[in-house]
Amino acid sequence: MSASGTAVEADGSGGTGPSRPALSGGRKAVSSVLWAVLVPAVLLLGAAVGQWVTWLGVVIALATIAVAASVIGGSWRRAGAATLVSFGGFALMLFAGPAVYEGYMDSVGEPVDAVVTQVADRDQRRGPDMFCTVRELGGDRRTYEVSQQENCFGQTEPGDRVQIREDPLGLLDPRLPDSPDQRNTTEITLAVTAGLTLLLAGGTFYAGQRRRGR
């Protein structure tokens, strides 16, 4: 065997070319932190956008989950973490949208007196699909039709006076008040969203730190 061949074998390349250098501990930690922050942050952004333009929010969330799963499961070769992040991302999509909407409306929504004029179940065969029509009692006396997304669950009846919360920016539909049996639902939704966010961040960071080289 020639000296050059011996050097190749000792080098460990086996004649297949130079291998990809491993990241240092500091660079790996920084990369892991960036991904751990970026993935849940973009999913929360998609959930917020989805309350305004539903299809756009869904596209942002699905693209984020696809990219995260590809990086974690493909580049980092952590299939278990990729599965966790994928399912956690879909769960976060379900809870983060209502959490963002309810938290925003409770914090900055403007209270306006209104009256319920109609409550309708559009599809009784497949379960409740409630829509409530409410009209302002003052101001411009505008009329809104809101769905379950805006907290119409049949807790009111035509003729009931309620205090709705209106978006000061005018981007989102008003939110109906909670019924007595809906107490703490916003806090629960926010707590679940926070837990899922931490789960995604922790799972992504762990996968980045434990990534396998090719």
Side-chain angles (χ1 to χ4, degrees), residues 31-119:
S31 172
S32 301
V33 169
L34 287 176
W35 278 99
V37 172
L38 188 63
V39 171
V42 177
L43 283 174
L44 291 174
L45 174 63
V49 172
Q51 298 301 300
W52 176 40
V53 183
T54 303
W55 68 267
L56 182 57
V58 171
V59 169
I60 293 174
L62 291 179
T64 303
I65 293 173
V67 171
S70 176
V71 171
I72 296 172
S75 300
W76 296 353
R77 301 174 67 186
R78 305 301 304 190
T83 302
L84 172 66
V85 170
S86 297
F87 281 100
F90 283 113
L92 184 60
M93 288 173 57
L94 297 176
F95 285 94
V100 170
Y101 173 74
E102 293 172 16
Y104 173 76
M105 282 300 191
D106 288 344
S107 300
V108 303
E110 299 175 348
V112 176
D113 292 328
V115 60
V116 179
T117 60
Q118 184 179 14
V119 178

Side-chain angles (χ1 to χ4, degrees), residues 116-147:
V116 179
T117 60
Q118 184 179 14
V119 178
D121 185 350
R122 297 284 176 82
D123 195 346
Q124 300 180 3
R125 294 175 299 175
R126 295 186 299 177
D129 191 12
M130 306 299 297
F131 287 84
C132 299
T133 304
V134 294
R135 186 180 70 248
E136 294 178 348
L137 291 176
D140 297 332
R141 300 185 68 85
R142 289 171 292 189
T143 299
Y144 302 96
E145 183 181 68
V146 298
S147 66

